[in-house]
Amino acid sequence: MQKILLVDDEPAILDVCRRYLEREGYRVDSAVNGFEAVEQWKRGRPDLIVLDLMMPEKDGWTAAEEIRMEDEDVPIIMLTALGQERDRLLGLTLGADDYLTKPFSPRELVLRVKNMLRRTSKYKNAEKQSITVGSISIELSTRQVKAGEKIIEMTAKEFDMLWLLASHPSQVFSRSQLLEKVWGYDFSGDGNTVNVHVRRLREKLELNPAEPQYIKTVWGIGYKLEQPV
């Protein structure tokens, strides 16, 4: 039984989301602030975290940052009542893999959870596969990325995007294609989500992110990955 950590300071949201998730067969732990979220994550090591941003005592941004310092792989879906783009982008920059804006449908949350866990499980259960691009090696079965001998820590969505691009060298993917293939057809975000993740990949993989050798921008279309010259 897969475990979900549900974090929100609104009892009504916790109650209805718990009922919908448990109906689908998930085990659900809950927390009402960022302090409890971090402690619950340490104790229970959930398969996925649903994390509200605006909470008392310790907010979701801070909790996500602390969790990401120790665990780059656990998927995080952020909940926010804020419609401002900068808040969504900050959440993605701190390591969120997806987000939902309140008010949202509990059925949509269940679909997001299912899709994300299905994609994560697909990688975990895959036969050993690896791709080498220049000095970068990517191992699918362990979801490990190395630059030379150095292990590069990545979030779930960063790895998913890198694996997709590396699996199709020189193929150009539009932002909408990347959103569909990495986040799923039902993702409600926009192309800025892709831009944020490309920037983070470049910061982790490129010697000079301003002049990338691996992940190239194809102006007016999207991105591709190439072997460095």
Side-chain angles (χ1 to χ4, degrees):
M1 182 182 294
Q2 291 175 301
K3 186 191 301 182
I4 310 297
L5 174 57
L6 183 61
V7 187
D8 200 296
D9 63 328
E10 298 183 48
I13 291 179
L14 283 179
D15 180 62
V16 70
C17 290
R18 173 191 289 275
R19 287 190 284 110
Y20 270 81
L21 289 166
E22 288 180 341
R23 190 181 302 165
E24 296 297 322
Y26 298 112
R27 175 182 168 186
V28 180
D29 293 334
S30 62
V32 296
N33 59 55
F35 287 110
E36 288 188 10
V38 174
E39 289 304 311
Q40 287 275 27
W41 165 76
K42 288 180 179 178
R43 288 198 300 266
R45 297 292 173 169
D47 297 290
L48 183 145
I49 302 173
V50 179
L51 180 64
D52 186 30
L53 286 182
M54 300 297 292
M55 294 184 295
E57 299 185 51
K58 180 183 288 187
D59 59 35
W61 289 294
T62 306
E65 190 171 24
E66 291 182 17
I67 291 170
R68 276 288 176 251
M69 289 176 66
E70 297 186 44
D71 189 339
E72 289 281 346
D73 292 328
V74 60
I76 298 176
I77 300 176
M78 281 191 165
L79 305 178
T80 175
L82 304 175
Q84 297 175 342
E85 181 181 55
R86 67 174 182 271
D87 297 301
R88 297 196 301 271
L89 295 181
L90 177 58
L92 293 169
T93 299
L94 292 176
D97 299 291
D98 197 355
Y99 68 86
L100 275 171
T101 301
K102 296 179 179 178
F104 60 88
S105 163
R107 293 186 180 87
E108 181 178 3
L109 174 62
V110 170
L111 286 174
R112 298 289 186 93
V113 168
K114 282 184 175 180
N115 287 341
M116 189 164 291
L117 288 175
R118 183 171 61 246
R119 288 192 291 270
T120 303
S121 298
K122 177 180 68 176
Y123 287 118
K124 287 182 178 178
N125 297 328
E127 295 181 0
K128 184 176 180 180
Q129 292 177 273
S130 62
I131 297 175
T132 300
V133 184
S135 62
I136 298 171
S137 60
I138 312 165
E139 189 70 43
L140 181 58
S141 60
T142 59
R143 296 177 66 83
Q144 186 178 83
V145 179
K146 287 185 177 181
E149 294 302 315
K150 179 183 178 182
I151 296 177
I152 307 298
E153 298 293 342
M154 293 197 169
T155 67
K157 283 294 180 285
E158 288 169 357
F159 183 91
D160 291 349
M161 179 181 287
L162 179 61
W163 181 262
L164 175 64
L165 292 171
S167 300
H168 303 82
S170 299
Q171 179 177 334
V172 180
F173 288 89
S174 68
R175 289 172 180 81
S176 60
Q177 287 175 321
L178 289 170
L179 281 173
E180 179 180 348
K181 293 179 180 296
V182 177
W183 279 266
Y185 70 91
D186 57 345
F187 181 67
S188 61
D190 54 34
N192 284 320
T193 301
V194 172
N195 298 342
V196 169
H197 281 72
V198 167
R199 184 179 74 242
R200 283 167 28 190
L201 282 174
R202 285 172 171 166
E203 289 171 351
K204 293 181 177 184
L205 299 175
E206 305 280 0
L207 292 176
N208 181 4
E211 297 181 2
Q213 299 298 305
Y214 293 102
I215 301 176
K216 303 279 192 176
T217 299
V218 181
W219 295 106
I221 303 177
Y223 300 100
K224 65 178 178 178
L225 187 142
E226 290 187 342
Q227 287 279 1
V229 178

